[in-house]
Amino acid sequence: MGKSFGRRWLILWAALIGSGHPAAAQSFGDGQFDPAIPTLTATAGHAPGDRITSPDQTYAYLKALADAAPDRARLVQYGATWEGRPLHYLVLTAPANMAKLETIRADMANVAAGRPGNGSALPVTWLAYGVHGNEISSTDAALMTAYHLLAAKDDARAAKIMANTIVVIDPMQNPDGRARFVNNFLAATGIVPAGDRQAAEHDEPWPSGRVNHYMFDLNRDWFTLSQPETRGKVAAIREWNPVVVVDLHEMSGDDTYFFSPAAQPFSPNLTPAQIRAYELIGRYNAAAFDAMGEPYFTREVFDLFYPGYGDTWNAHQGAIGSTYEQASARGLVWERRDGTKLTYADGVRNHFAASIATAAAVADNPARFISDFAAYRSGNASGAAGRGTYVIDLGKRRWNAERLGRRLAEQGITVLRREGSASVCGKSYPAGYLAVPQAQPAARLVRSLLDRDTPLPPDFLAEQERRRSVDLPHELYDVTAWSVGPMAGVDVALCNAAVSGDAMRADAPIAAKAEGAGDFAIAVPWTDSGQARLVTLALREGIDGRVTDRAFTTGGREFSRGTVVFPAGSNSPEKMARLAEIAREVGAHTVALDSGWTDSGPNLGSERFVRLTLPRVAVAWDDGISQLSAGSLRYVLEQRLGLPVTPIRTSRLGRADLSDYDVLLVPEGNPAGVLGEGGSRAIRTFVQRGGVLVAVGESLESFSGGDNPLLAVKREAALGREPSEAEDEKGELAEAIAITSDAEYREAIKDQAALPDTLPGALLNVVGEPDHFLSAGYDNGAVVLATGTQIFTPLDRAKGINVLRFAAPGNLIASGYVWDENRRQLAYKPYLMAQPQGRGLVIGFAHDPSTRAYLEGLDLLIANAVLVAPSRVR
């Protein structure tokens, strides 16, 4: 820690913010703050921490600050949300720096590219707030931080921050979620704030403000880039190349404050220099909180392993990426379990203190942060993280591979593209390839995303297994696998050599691939997400198509099952022209056919071909349903495949007219209690009359119980446990046993009806039944994500079919870590099930195929269940 951050500063700090109320930070005493800088009180009508500032008020205040100090502040819009709200960041620096801001930014770009700088660069500290819209105090802290840096006149620390660094404040990463929270909070508020955690103002309705419009957790979307908020933010960060990125959050109101260093496990792609810098910044934060007498904790709970977090993704770009967590009042006041009260103002003050302390750490050590960042990026470019090349085959799931390449490029990763037949490292690529070199500035992000596996530290794993052996919960915070190649369904090979190709642009459209000659029909092979999107959009425009559940060969070309054929005979020339136009817009693959004759397999008039119609799709919505699952399913169907979805609240399903729909989706959750007898009866009637029910994850239990279940499977207890063992007659004496060892004691106290231990998340292999239409596109199986505790018994063949099942124990794990007993128990169990009921069909996914929208390789499974199944049932 710099010597200037000494006792005098700590005393000043305590005087400035030790009052316990951030409204004091608007004046900090007479004559200390520039009256030309507008206060939040003057602009929004309340002091920081007195009320929850709305998104509109936040933007108005940012604009007022920028207008008042154009020589030190610049407001930039970097994107917009699904609901049209603007996304802004505020750049803050001293006038001399602002005058040459573009020169500074250009030199930081040189440094980030691994090239020598010219001395113009200044370290950029990026402070990001409110990624979860109901974690409310951080946005007001952002406004307070901006005001303080602009208005403080007698604060040498603030002046040093402005002189030595660029501070970028992203005050509100999720304005849609914040607006939802604020509106619900105001609607429930009375004449005084209620501290009771049971009060309506603390009890958010569904969906909560945590998520965005499509109900995504935006702090899991950094490498997926599915949401506009994330895409805009990543592009903005790449323009500035910050050396420190802090993501400020909230946690349980009964906690204190968390800042880095983070908990284990750390990603193996972090460097020793980064780990030392976390310690440095942590000490600055500790000094600030000690001066306030405010408790905090470090090195617990919040890790640096999964690269989809804001902290870890930025750390993989070379920044010091951190998560800070403040106990949340989830309103204006919160009664803690220890009898004390936490106010909104407390949270605002603490986040403000951490923001200034972090910026001060960089301002006191600007050369160190620039030097470390430069060494990280140039070292990567020189091969410090590897010199091989990842090669992605364009011959398998071409559209998904092309999309993956563009998504990597959007994150600043160099991607090369080779069109046409080529051979690399002894392997032939007839359709060409994408190549991602390891030796590039973003090498450690490349390794994290494209390596087949990112190993957990052995000592951490040993500790988790020890904890489990004594019946303590494991400490894994999120998934253990995220290899983007398998998740996209594409083949990625590591070649230990340099590979040539042309640089890929992130915004380059995917080129359509039109083959064949003839005017009889257009065939759309069922091979990737782009094909499913083309078919969906064509059906939306009334273009007639037919789908086969058997492969066929014509003109020397084989078409796999699932192929959709659009005959010219049942479509006008205008519609066929429109089909070709949609294919170009999507970048899809089409094959022109000159005849209905096939050399093998069914002809177009066979019963194996059925006419596709656009299904009408409803999704169960609201209480009893996971907002994350409902949002990701709807997103994949609407935004990736182009299929409209109608949400129906679970409480209304019992009286809804479901005859208007072909498909009802029930996402993850526990909807049985909300559905009640009426809702369950309505769903059963819907299926028996020809509807398709698609149930996901734990929701399967709502349809698998009773004497006549819609899906004849049961959830399994933990391996070696039988739920019936725990059922005793009331009043019976227990069997006498002698316990003679610690192992026997552990066995005796185990929950005899326990579910399998929670699986944090791993990528697993599944294999398919080749004769069922639901497995079309997956002749070679698939890679799926499995999480949680749910393992289901296989369907009896007399009842239905296990369309996809988990692979054998020795071949089960594609990537990640799985407890050994889970591995043995999951083997051969169903992932995708189908059971006819009356004239309809029940389809069950044991785990959500749409999770976080990052499993593009499973899009065809979703399309089979939602787009194709209704026509097959009919």
Side-chain angles (χ1 to χ4, degrees), residues 399-419:
W399 195 85
N400 292 28
E402 295 275 17
R403 277 253 306 180
L404 174 58
R406 285 155 177 79
R407 194 160 67 247
L408 294 172
E410 199 170 350
Q411 297 172 67
I413 293 171
T414 298
V415 180
L416 306 175
R417 188 177 188 280
R418 172 68 183 268
E419 185 113 27

Side-chain angles (χ1 to χ4, degrees), residues 258-578:
F258 168 84
F259 49 76
S260 296
Q264 288 289 345
F266 285 4
S267 167
N269 293 302
L270 296 180
T271 67
Q274 288 178 300
I275 293 170
R276 290 192 296 270
Y278 282 113
E279 187 83 14
L280 171 70
I281 295 173
R283 290 181 179 273
Y284 270 76
N285 279 313
F289 277 69
D290 288 346
M292 296 188 295
E294 191 69 25
Y296 56 87
F297 66 97
T298 63
R299 302 183 181 91
E300 296 180 51
V301 183
F302 305 103
D303 62 38
L304 275 173
F305 192 61
Y306 172 62
Y309 305 139
D311 53 7
T312 318
W313 185 90
N314 282 287
H316 283 77
Q317 293 278 23
I320 308 307
S322 294
T323 289
Y324 294 173
E325 296 272 356
Q326 161 65 39
S328 178
R330 281 296 190 274
L332 295 179
V333 63
W334 177 267
E335 295 172 357
R336 298 181 191 251
R337 298 191 190 279
D338 65 3
T340 61
K341 290 186 177 181
L342 172 70
T343 68
Y344 183 59
D346 295 333
V348 175
R349 178 201 62 198
N350 292 346
H351 268 328
F352 164 72
S355 299
I356 295 293
T358 300
V362 182
D364 282 348
N365 303 276
R368 171 178 175 170
F369 280 96
I370 287 283
S371 175
D372 281 358
F373 184 72
Y376 179 98
R377 302 288 290 190
S378 62
N380 285 348
S382 299
R387 296 179 179 276
T389 305
Y390 300 95
V391 184
I392 302 172
D393 189 355
L394 288 176
K396 179 181 179 182
R397 303 213 190 282
R398 179 190 69 93
W399 195 85
N400 292 28
E402 295 275 17
R403 277 253 306 180
L404 174 58
R406 285 155 177 79
R407 194 160 67 247
L408 294 172
E410 199 170 350
Q411 297 172 67
I413 293 171
T414 298
V415 180
L416 306 175
R417 188 177 188 280
R418 172 68 183 268
E419 185 113 27
S421 182
S423 182
V424 173
C425 284
K427 182 178 178 180
S428 177
Y429 294 90
Y433 60 75
L434 304 180
V436 184
Q438 287 182 329
Q440 59 172 296
R444 286 176 169 84
L445 180 60
V446 170
R447 291 289 306 270
S448 185
L449 297 183
L450 287 172
D451 278 354
R452 186 76 178 191
D453 205 40
T454 299
L456 287 157
D459 55 344
F460 176 81
L461 272 181
E463 171 61 12
Q464 302 319 299
E465 293 291 4
R466 183 200 70 79
R467 290 177 62 86
R468 296 176 63 244
S469 73
V470 293
D471 304 317
L472 292 174
H474 66 73
E475 298 170 308
L476 284 159
Y477 194 78
D478 209 280
V479 298
T480 66
W482 51 81
S483 184
V484 294
M487 291 200 303
V490 303
D491 283 341
V492 180
L494 180 59
C495 173
N496 292 315
V499 178
S500 63
D502 298 322
M504 170 177 277
R505 293 193 348 262
D507 60 352
I510 298 175
K513 183 179 179 181
E515 297 182 307
D519 56 8
F520 174 78
I522 295 293
V524 179
W526 201 239
T527 52
D528 56 43
S529 304
Q531 305 300 89
R533 180 172 177 81
L534 168 59
V535 170
T536 303
L537 296 180
L539 294 178
R540 285 180 63 182
E541 299 212 16
I543 303 174
D544 181 61
R546 297 173 183 273
V547 60
T548 177
D549 64 353
R550 290 290 184 272
F552 67 93
T553 303
T554 182
R557 183 192 299 267
E558 182 175 349
F559 294 86
S560 63
R561 60 200 181 95
T563 295
V564 179
V565 176
F566 293 93
S570 57
N571 290 294
S572 67
E574 292 77 16
K575 286 186 176 180
M576 295 302 287
R578 178 58 185 146

Side-chain angles (χ1 to χ4, degrees), residues 11-203:
I11 292 171
L12 175 62
W13 187 280
L16 292 178
I17 60 176
S19 67
H21 197 293
Q26 281 198 159
S27 63
F28 289 158
D30 293 338
Q32 292 182 333
F33 286 80
D34 185 350
I37 303 300
T39 65
L40 183 63
T41 301
T43 306
H46 62 266
D50 279 358
R51 297 184 64 184
I52 303 168
T53 306
S54 72
D56 288 345
Q57 290 171 330
T58 298
Y59 170 65
Y61 187 55
L62 291 173
K63 188 174 185 306
L65 290 177
D67 289 346
D71 62 329
R72 288 167 290 156
R74 181 178 298 177
L75 185 62
V76 178
Q77 181 174 345
Y78 68 82
T81 70
W82 289 112
E83 295 176 12
R85 292 184 176 89
L87 297 159
H88 294 94
Y89 62 75
L90 185 70
V91 183
L92 300 170
T93 193
N97 298 332
M98 188 64 77
K100 54 181 182 180
L101 194 62
E102 294 311 312
T103 300
I104 294 170
R105 183 159 61 174
D107 199 35
M108 277 303 298
N110 277 331
V111 172
R115 299 187 293 265
N118 60 26
S120 300
L122 285 178
V124 177
T125 301
W126 189 284
L127 303 174
Y129 306 80
V131 71
H132 298 139
N134 61 358
E135 297 178 1
I136 44 180
S137 61
S138 68
T139 292
D140 272 297
L143 303 181
M144 191 177 177
T145 302
Y147 172 79
H148 186 83
L149 291 177
L150 289 172
K153 298 179 70 175
D154 301 330
D155 184 354
R157 179 63 41 170
K160 191 172 187 180
I161 290 169
M162 296 288 276
N164 288 1
T165 71
I166 310 291
V167 175
V168 181
I169 291 177
D170 182 350
M172 190 170 47
Q173 300 173 74
N174 182 8
D176 290 352
R178 186 177 182 87
R180 190 181 309 123
F181 178 89
V182 171
N183 290 339
N184 290 327
F185 175 78
L186 292 176
T189 303
I191 59 174
V192 294
D196 184 354
R197 65 188 65 208
Q198 302 173 97
E201 61 199 69
H202 297 297
D203 187 12

